[in-house]
Amino acid sequence: MSFRKFKYYAANGLQVLVPNAIRSKSARHLIDKYPMDSYIQERVDYYNKVNESFELPENESTRVGGYKKTGGTTYYFDLHKVVKSFPAQYFFQFLNGDIRYVPEYPCFLKSRPIGENNHNSVLLKLNEIRHFQFISDKQSFRNKKDMVAWRGVGYQPHRKKVIEQYYNHPQCNIGQTQPINGDPWEKGFMSIEEQLNYKFLLAIEGNDVATNLKWAMSSNSLVIMSKPRYETWFMEGRLQAGIHYVEVKSDYSDLIEKMEYYIAHPEEAEAIIHKAHEWVEQFKNPQREKLISLLVAKKYFEKSGQI
């Protein structure tokens, strides 16, 4: 286990033991002392798009006081530190895992489809330890290999299509690390440090979002991906093609063409990388991130008539 993961599990294991009265007092103090501004309000309203009052069926919902671990440990920890800041009698709905549909009632979850009709999908920063990893890249874009790198799970048909197209291409170091069953497009594990030697990094959506997108956008490599279909706390739905990343067709058939363009125009690549870094920077203030999470939940309980 890495030190980062050890620190996460240790800190969150301890926070579960904090009495709810202390947790609630701390949350109120943070909400009261932190200056509300348009940026914070905009993010709260983006994550929680519920603007009309709603009623939850109590028999199908979970009370704050009765919330227990039902899925992965990280989902439990990350939701626990938000909802346990509110009174025990409040109730809510939640979903663990990679969610690709919009639930019937407003519900806390990690991911949702991008679109206009996703109001019942209320985003929180869940499974943070897996998804919100940022890195410090010392190598400049121009000093990297004129190639693209990607490693990941190859179960999904849309990922297989990309791997099969470019597995043997001389400008690509692309391959699946799972499943390992003798397929011709398998390749060995490649660390993040090794991937940083490449000018281009693919961010291919998996079950929902591309897990590597956050650290890739914090690097000095240029992120290439098709238009995202799902989003998380990272607000993938607000990323702009040509501003924060390079967009390719859904089948990635124009990948090499896009790479060659930015190899020939490094100043344009560096401008996109700079904007990607600016995007990443907004998620690096732990106190503000906690505040926004609490305000997303507060709005949820207000709209459900519990505050």
Side-chain angles (χ1 to χ4, degrees), residues 41-58:
Q41 190 64 59
E42 188 177 3
R43 277 186 64 185
V44 170
D45 290 338
Y46 187 79
Y47 297 133
N48 186 342
K49 296 183 179 180
V50 181
N51 293 318
E52 304 293 333
S53 298
F54 67 93
E55 289 186 20
L56 288 173
E58 292 190 43

Side-chain angles (χ1 to χ4, degrees), residues 22-34:
I22 295 176
R23 196 190 315 275
S24 298
K25 184 178 180 180
S26 173
R28 287 195 303 271
H29 178 69
L30 178 60
I31 291 172
D32 291 341
K33 81 160 190 172
Y34 209 102

Side-chain angles (χ1 to χ4, degrees), residues 29 31-32 45 50 73 87 91 96 105 114 142 159 174 183 200 217 228 231 251 254 258 260 274-275 281 294 299:
H29 178 69
I31 291 172
D32 291 341
D45 290 338
V50 181
T73 302
F91 51 94
N96 295 316
Y105 296 99
I114 293 170
R142 299 187 193 216
R159 281 188 168 181
I174 293 172
D183 290 333
F200 306 99
M217 282 183 58
E231 66 180 344
D251 63 358
D254 56 345
K258 293 294 178 75
E260 289 176 345
H274 177 71
K275 285 294 185 183
E281 202 61 33
L294 291 170
K299 181 180 177 182

Side-chain angles (χ1 to χ4, degrees), residues 140-285:
S140 71
F141 174 79
R142 299 187 193 216
N143 288 336
K144 298 183 181 218
K145 297 177 185 178
D146 293 342
M147 296 176 66
V148 65
W150 183 83
R151 288 292 190 278
V153 176
Y155 293 101
Q156 301 90 347
H158 60 280
R159 281 188 168 181
K160 283 185 177 180
K161 187 179 293 185
V162 180
I163 298 167
E164 291 174 20
Q165 277 185 88
Y166 296 110
Y167 180 83
N168 288 314
H169 196 285
Q171 285 181 271
C172 303
N173 190 342
I174 293 172
Q176 71 180 48
T177 54
Q178 294 180 44
I180 299 298
N181 53 16
D183 290 333
W185 46 86
E186 293 168 4
K187 285 189 178 177
F189 172 79
M190 184 190 292
S191 68
I192 290 175
E193 290 72 21
E194 291 173 301
Q195 293 181 54
L196 294 180
N197 291 317
Y198 294 77
K199 273 190 168 75
F200 306 99
L201 297 171
L202 292 188
I204 312 173
E205 288 186 320
N207 291 329
D208 50 23
V209 297
T211 305
N212 71 331
L213 179 61
K214 286 82 167 174
W215 70 257
M217 282 183 58
S218 67
S219 76
N220 290 328
S221 298
L222 189 60
V223 172
I224 300 179
M225 64 181 185
S226 59
K227 187 176 180 64
R229 297 173 299 158
Y230 303 100
E231 66 180 344
T232 64
W233 189 261
F234 197 60
M235 300 188 290
E236 287 88 345
R238 283 190 164 177
L239 294 175
Q240 295 176 266
I243 304 294
H244 303 105
Y245 71 97
V246 173
E247 186 174 307
V248 289
K249 296 175 182 176
S250 59
D251 63 358
Y252 284 70
S253 59
D254 56 345
L255 172 61
I256 304 302
E257 174 190 334
K258 293 294 178 75
M259 288 171 57
E260 289 176 345
Y261 177 85
Y262 286 101
I263 289 170
H265 299 85
E267 68 288 343
E268 293 185 36
E270 289 165 341
I272 294 173
I273 291 167
H274 177 71
K275 285 294 185 183
H277 289 179
E278 286 184 344
W279 187 265
V280 164
E281 202 61 33
Q282 66 186 317
F283 301 99
K284 291 184 176 180
N285 182 330

Side-chain angles (χ1 to χ4, degrees), residues 74-176:
T74 62
Y75 285 91
Y76 170 67
F77 281 157
D78 294 340
L79 185 54
H80 184 282
K81 60 192 174 192
V82 177
V83 297
K84 288 288 189 176
S85 299
F86 293 88
Q89 69 271 21
Y90 288 7
F91 51 94
F92 61 97
Q93 293 195 0
F94 70 98
L95 289 168
N96 295 316
D98 303 332
I99 307 302
R100 292 174 288 182
Y101 64 92
V102 179
E104 182 180 359
Y105 296 99
C107 178
F108 295 130
L109 36 66
K110 181 203 75 179
S111 56
R112 69 187 179 195
I114 293 170
E116 295 298 319
N117 299 312
N118 59 7
H119 294 68
N120 283 351
S121 301
V122 180
L123 293 175
L124 285 176
K125 197 175 189 178
L126 305 182
N127 202 9
E128 175 184 353
I129 191 66
R130 172 171 163 78
H131 286 268
F132 278 82
Q133 178 180 4
F134 301 124
I135 50 100
S136 177
D137 188 356
K138 306 300 183 187
Q139 192 172 177
S140 71
F141 174 79
R142 299 187 193 216
N143 288 336
K144 298 183 181 218
K145 297 177 185 178
D146 293 342
M147 296 176 66
V148 65
W150 183 83
R151 288 292 190 278
V153 176
Y155 293 101
Q156 301 90 347
H158 60 280
R159 281 188 168 181
K160 283 185 177 180
K161 187 179 293 185
V162 180
I163 298 167
E164 291 174 20
Q165 277 185 88
Y166 296 110
Y167 180 83
N168 288 314
H169 196 285
Q171 285 181 271
C172 303
N173 190 342
I174 293 172
Q176 71 180 48

